[in-house]
Amino acid sequence: MATVGASVPTLDTVREKVEAGDRLDFEDGLALLESDDLLALGELADLARRLRGGTDDVYFVQNLYLNQTNVCRVKCKFCAFARTAKQEGAYTISIAELVEDAARQHELTGFTEIHMVNGESPHVTFEWYVETVRALHAALPDVHLKLYTASEIHHMSTLSGLGYEEILRELRDAGLGSLPGGGAEIFADRVRRLVAPGKEHPDRWFEVHDIAHRLGLPTHCTMLYGHVETYEERVDHLLRLRDQQDRTGGFLAFVPLAFHPENTVFERRGWAFTSGAEDLKMMAVSRLLLDNIPNLKAYWIMMGLPLASVALHFGANDVQGTVVREEIFRAAGSTIGSEQKIDELVRHVKDAGRVPVQRDTLYRELRRWE
Amino acid sequence: MTLTVRSSRPPRAAAPVRRILEQALAGARISDIDAVTLLRSRELVAVGRAADELRARKTDPAKVTFVVDRNVNYTNVCKTDCDFCAFYRRPGDRAEGYLLPKAVIFRKIEETLAIGGTGLLMQGGHHPDLAIEFYEDLFRSIKSRYRIHLHALSPPEIHHISRRSRLPVAETLTRLRDAGLDSIPGGGAEILVERVRRLIAPKKTKAQEWLHVMREAHRLGISTTATMMYGHVETLEERVEHLRRIRELQDELHGFRAFISWTFQPDGTRLGPRVERFPTSFDYLLTQAVSRIYLDNVDHIQSSWVTQGMKIGQVALAFGADDLGSVMTEENVVSAAGTTHRASTDDFVRAIRALGKVPVQRDTLYREVRVFD
Ligand code: SF4
Ligand code: SF4
């Protein structure tokens, strides 16, 4: 017998869908976020992960984080990083210096990936980006270059008057390996206007990723949550990513990023950090809704290793990278180096009952700790 | 109140763990071997769900409680030399040893009362010069001035005072109670297994002596808490042996109000370099959940945000704990060991609400003081 109207989803009805391999919808996503049964969410996310072929393997990559410039014209309200060109602390590193630094770090730590994002400086040219990629690739041909968010690609297009496709082709030919997922924030227009009014429309983000996927460049995707967005807007964000993945399939991983209010206007308004329970819930819901994105990152540098290891039971299967700059650790008087950092990561993953696997950017296995 | 969407399904787990959890959820006691099996398993979420369900049967599942009190460490002078302690100074250390004057203690109490605090947690080292008269006088002078709950002197301190003043434990307790002692914190238990105590605190109160002080207190109607400090040299079996001793004594007299466990904080201690593996937060949550399941006769389980940080401290409230412990306006022992987490009543209220629960300030005896709804 037909019933009038849809019934309200519960964790039990969502579970039935998960067990049957059915896709969750907007209402399901909302019900999950509104649930306070944190552990049931974790259990469900882990079940979904396993039913979709997930194993005990937990990935991490050894990477180097770089920022070539913090000069930025956009002034997003949540950003503690950007400066104007004349502001104290503003920097733009020359290509030669950047490459030299990366090569020296590579000798020390043997990373397999460079992850670089920048401010959107009006004082550089598209050629400068291409040259940077070419020089990094020439110096470190075996290192995967994961550079530039969609916003930066958009910025290059503004600087050069070229279309996204031409830009991505040139960067790819110069040695670019993939795009990081930043600049996504929350896609909903209302939120964009509130937190990043200077940024291009979210449709541009999708256009860039769409073209990248079609050119064979894999990308990553993110969500910055815990500021002004509603639960509806979070679900909407995740479902837009899922739709894109259906179309082009080029997202390697999704990373939920909790908003950190320190050093932003929001801190002065008394905003607080997301709590541990909210972070775990977001992890679980991301896994449940994003049924077509294989990897979910508990980015331990942001979450902390303690919470990240718990998140491995809430749907996550990746803890991102070791992120080592040897001299920073040494300068801070710490004896911790990349090997110790790996040991610590491995210990936390093992203690969570999972198998640590060092991967490259494309999730090919490099080393395994049984 | 938000609408709570809860799962009605039992926890999912592999066979041996599932059997133990089913047994516990059916109301049966779990054995020591079962507790070790749970601790060895990595089925964090399943064990946590069972612990959360058992917590909901013992305490109001809609609420999470906390207390506002002050931890006053009246002296750091101590002759016991525990290897895990970064707080104490040897007798005769004129540079860093201290004994707080009454005036300072009074000021701290006034500050505590001013922010809506209800209790004073007072603990200190085993000072060789302090006999029972010192404590009687101090407690009387506090109680004659202020209306505040006096939660003071862990069993090793009581034991030290009884030896120093050559009094039986029961008489020591009676005199202290008559002077104003309201309840006793469960500190100094560490791991109640002699092998472990010999390794980490050879001069400290023996396990039997700790239990003896607690038994005498419970007989006198003085309520107490129980604690466990783990993650150093003990085995998982020894963690469970510790829990068993608490559970057995609780069967006799039911005097433990709450159980609180935390991980060893190594900085600045002699024990630190001797520990091979420090427990992860994963281990912490699992151990807390198992303690909820195993200690079927203890009502309240507190999470330890002071040692784990607020994120894990909050998450632990879904793993069998019903109480976030104390908004402490002062804490010296853990911070001496390098851990400095801070939180205010606002932080507590926000963390508890973010779990979908109603924050309730309680007093030391778990009576409601203020409901934040
Ligand atoms: S575009 Fe990036 S660097 Fe610029 S203000 Fe926004 S977040 Fe900061
Ligand atoms: S833990 Fe207590 S008894 Fe042991 S040394 Fe420290 S102050 Fe003294």
Side-chain angles (χ1 to χ4, degrees):
Chain A
M1 227 184 88
T3 47
V4 181
S7 59
V8 183
T10 66
L11 289 193
D12 290 344
T13 63
V14 170
R15 185 186 191 119
E16 278 157 25
K17 282 187 165 184
V18 168
E19 282 170 348
D22 291 345
R23 189 154 251 208
L24 303 183
D25 60 22
F26 185 89
E27 295 302 326
D28 294 327
L30 211 51
L32 292 171
L33 278 172
E34 275 166 4
S35 168
D36 293 325
D37 199 343
L38 183 65
L39 299 192
L41 287 173
E43 191 183 275
L44 212 48
D46 200 55
L47 174 68
R49 189 180 65 75
R50 288 189 190 280
L51 287 175
R52 294 176 202 148
T55 64
D56 280 346
D57 292 358
V58 168
Y59 295 104
F60 68 92
V61 65
Q62 224 180 337
N63 61 357
L64 177 71
Y65 276 78
L66 294 175
N67 303 117
Q68 199 172 2
T69 180
N70 63 351
V71 175
C72 188
R73 55 168 191 92
V74 185
K75 299 195 183 60
C76 302
K77 297 206 172 151
F78 49 76
C79 182
F81 164 76
R83 301 282 185 281
T84 58
K86 293 203 178 68
Q87 223 175 329
E88 205 188 314
Y91 64 79
T92 301
I93 298 166
S94 75
I95 295 171
E97 244 182 291
L98 185 85
V99 171
E100 197 196 308
D101 175 43
R104 198 176 52 239
Q105 289 297 325
H106 190 254
E107 269 171 39
L108 288 168
T109 67
F111 55 78
T112 62
E113 166 185 302
I114 291 179
H115 180 135
M116 180 166 79
V117 296
N118 298 302
E120 297 176 21
S121 170
H123 309 290
V124 297
T125 62
F126 176 51
E127 275 318 306
W128 179 75
Y129 288 100
V130 178
E131 274 313 309
T132 301
V133 177
R134 197 171 286 135
L136 281 172
H137 186 59
L140 300 166
D142 297 332
V143 170
H144 181 102
L145 301 178
K146 175 181 167 189
L147 319 175
Y148 311 133
T149 64
S151 305
E152 289 174 86
I153 302 296
H154 176 78
H155 176 59
M156 293 176 208
S157 148
T158 314
L159 288 172
S160 64
L162 300 172
Y164 298 157
E165 176 159 352
E166 219 173 327
I167 286 172
L168 287 167
R169 271 183 201 284
E170 271 206 54
L171 292 174
R172 185 194 60 187
D173 295 346
L176 182 72
S178 65
L179 296 184
E185 330 310 359
I186 291 281
F187 293 128
D189 288 339
R190 185 193 74 87
V191 178
R192 279 296 172 121
R193 275 196 302 276
L194 284 171
V195 302
K199 234 178 204 174
E200 67 288 348
H201 193 269
D203 289 352
R204 303 289 88 72
W205 191 96
F206 281 103
E207 250 175 76
V208 169
H209 284 263
D210 189 281
I211 293 169
H213 293 178
R214 290 177 202 282
L215 291 175
L217 278 172
T219 73
H220 302 78
C221 52
T222 62
M223 170 170 72
L224 184 74
Y225 67 95
H227 41 92
V228 302
E229 85 290 354
T230 62
Y231 279 168
E232 284 82 356
E233 286 158 344
R234 288 191 201 180
V235 174
D236 168 70
H237 184 98
L238 294 172
L239 294 187
R240 288 201 216 190
L241 290 172
R242 191 172 75 181
D243 289 346
Q244 180 64 49
Q245 183 75 340
D246 276 345
R247 284 194 294 276
T248 51
F251 291 129
L252 288 169
F254 174 73
V255 199
L257 297 167
F259 174 62
H260 280 218
E262 77 269 36
N263 305 323
T264 70
V265 290
F266 297 107
E267 184 180 40
R268 293 190 285 280
R269 293 181 201 164
W271 282 42
F273 291 92
T274 57
S275 64
E278 290 167 283
D279 293 344
L280 292 177
K281 180 192 273 191
M282 202 57 244
M283 197 62 72
V285 176
S286 303
R287 172 59 81 183
L288 285 161
L289 288 180
L290 297 174
D291 53 20
N292 53 2
I293 299 182
N295 301 298
L296 177 61
K297 288 185 191 180
Y299 190 18
W300 75 264
I301 301 130
M302 304 287 272
M303 296 182 93
L305 210 39
L307 197 61
S309 63
V310 176
L312 298 177
H313 287 241
F314 284 73
N317 70 323
D318 190 317
V319 287
Q320 178 61 4
T322 48
V323 197
V324 177
R325 287 190 74 84
E326 292 285 343
E327 75 255 43
I328 291 184
F329 284 105
R330 288 189 192 139
S334 164
T335 52
I336 202 160
S338 61
E339 278 308 315
Q340 286 97 320
K341 200 71 247 180
I342 290 181
D343 287 350
E344 192 58 7
L345 214 58
V346 162
R347 192 170 82 81
H348 273 80
V349 171
K350 278 189 165 174
D351 207 50
R354 299 287 154 90
V355 179
V357 175
Q358 190 185 339
R359 62 167 174 86
D360 69 6
T361 311
L362 303 174
Y363 285 84
R364 288 176 299 215
E365 181 173 325
L366 300 177
R367 185 176 168 195
R368 163 181 293 270
W369 285 258
E370 287 292 1
Chain B
M1 280 272 328
T2 55
L3 173 80
T4 302
V5 184
R6 278 192 81 85
S7 168
S8 65
R9 304 283 192 90
R12 251 175 66 90
V17 168
R18 192 176 57 230
R19 178 192 58 76
I20 297 165
L21 297 180
E22 278 167 5
Q23 182 190 332
L25 289 171
R29 233 174 210 193
I30 69 163
S31 69
D32 293 9
I33 293 170
D34 288 347
V36 172
T37 301
L38 295 184
L39 286 174
R40 266 198 225 300
S41 89
R42 298 289 96 187
E43 306 238 28
L44 179 66
V45 171
V47 176
R49 283 195 67 198
D52 190 43
E53 171 62 31
L54 294 171
R55 168 263 203 258
R57 292 182 196 169
K58 277 233 165 21
T59 59
D60 184 345
K63 293 176 179 168
V64 168
T65 52
F66 64 92
V67 68
V68 180
D69 65 7
R70 182 128 186 190
N71 188 1
V72 173
N73 299 112
Y74 57 92
T75 182
N76 65 347
V77 175
C78 186
K79 62 182 185 60
T80 305
D81 293 316
C82 303
D83 287 349
F84 57 81
C85 182
F87 162 74
Y88 82 100
R89 294 295 175 267
R90 287 249 168 81
D93 181 342
R94 297 206 186 287
E96 294 185 10
Y98 71 77
L99 174 63
L100 293 183
K102 268 190 198 171
V104 173
I105 295 175
F106 292 162
R107 201 189 63 233
K108 287 173 189 281
I109 294 173
E110 281 159 23
E111 287 164 7
T112 309
L113 292 170
I115 62 156
T118 57
L120 185 65
L121 167 58
M122 201 155 65
Q123 302 181 97
H126 302 163
H127 196 307
D129 301 342
L130 302 183
I132 193 161
E133 291 77 16
F134 166 84
Y135 296 95
E136 287 177 312
D137 171 59
L138 177 62
F139 291 178
R140 287 214 165 84
S141 57
I142 290 171
K143 284 294 191 166
S144 66
R145 284 174 179 77
Y146 308 105
R147 267 199 55 192
I148 194 158
H149 183 101
L150 195 51
H151 185 49
L153 306 180
S154 61
E157 290 168 270
I158 306 272
H159 188 244
H160 167 71
I161 297 163
S162 85
R163 291 236 293 234
R164 173 71 179 68
S165 296
R166 298 179 206 285
L167 293 167
V169 167
E171 195 180 333
T172 309
L173 285 166
T174 309
R175 281 177 61 174
L176 291 169
R177 182 193 60 193
D178 293 346
L181 178 68
D182 293 306
S183 63
I184 293 177
E190 333 311 354
I191 293 287
L192 292 169
V193 174
E194 257 357 284
R195 184 195 77 87
V196 176
R197 299 181 87 76
R198 268 198 306 276
L199 286 172
I200 66 172
K203 294 192 217 163
K204 203 169 195 169
T205 318
K206 306 264 173 288
Q208 285 309 330
E209 292 163 340
W210 189 96
L211 290 162
H212 176 64
V213 171
M214 286 306 199
R215 185 177 287 110
E216 294 296 336
H218 296 171
R219 277 199 186 124
L220 289 167
I222 302 172
S223 92
T224 78
T225 58
T227 67
M228 171 166 78
M229 186 202 64
Y230 62 97
H232 34 84
V233 302
E234 87 291 350
T235 62
L236 291 184
E237 286 77 6
E238 285 164 338
R239 274 187 215 176
V240 175
E241 188 172 340
H242 176 94
L243 294 176
R244 187 182 66 239
R245 295 188 160 186
I246 305 282
R247 188 166 81 175
E248 281 170 0
L249 179 53
Q250 184 73 338
D251 277 342
E252 278 176 48
L253 293 154
H254 211 84
F256 292 123
R257 255 185 343 257
F259 176 77
I260 314 140
S261 62
W262 64 87
T263 55
F264 166 54
Q265 305 293 307
D267 284 12
T269 68
R270 289 185 300 278
L271 180 58
R274 284 162 45 201
V275 174
E276 276 166 32
R277 307 182 37 152
F278 295 107
T280 59
S281 290
F282 192 95
D283 196 16
Y284 168 77
L285 293 172
L286 188 62
T287 303
Q288 186 201 268
V290 172
S291 68
R292 168 60 86 182
I293 296 169
Y294 184 92
L295 295 174
D296 58 354
N297 51 8
V298 176
D299 288 343
H300 301 288
I301 304 281
Q302 286 184 23
S303 82
S304 174
W305 69 273
V306 180
T307 59
Q308 304 301 310
M310 199 39 127
K311 284 211 170 194
I312 295 291
Q314 178 216 28
V315 168
L317 295 168
F319 288 83
D322 61 295
D323 189 278
L324 195 45
S326 167
V327 174
M328 280 196 277
T329 48
E330 182 176 340
E331 203 291 318
N332 304 308
V333 178
V334 171
S335 53
T339 305
T340 47
H341 296 295
R342 293 263 167 276
S344 64
T345 302
D346 280 353
D347 295 327
F348 269 46
V349 167
R350 201 179 308 116
I352 293 167
R353 283 193 174 140
L355 271 174
K357 309 275 187 194
V358 178
V360 175
Q361 185 189 340
R362 61 163 173 91
D363 68 8
T364 314
L365 300 175
Y366 283 83
R367 291 172 303 209
E368 285 189 4
V369 173
R370 183 175 168 200
V371 179
F372 294 78
D373 49 10

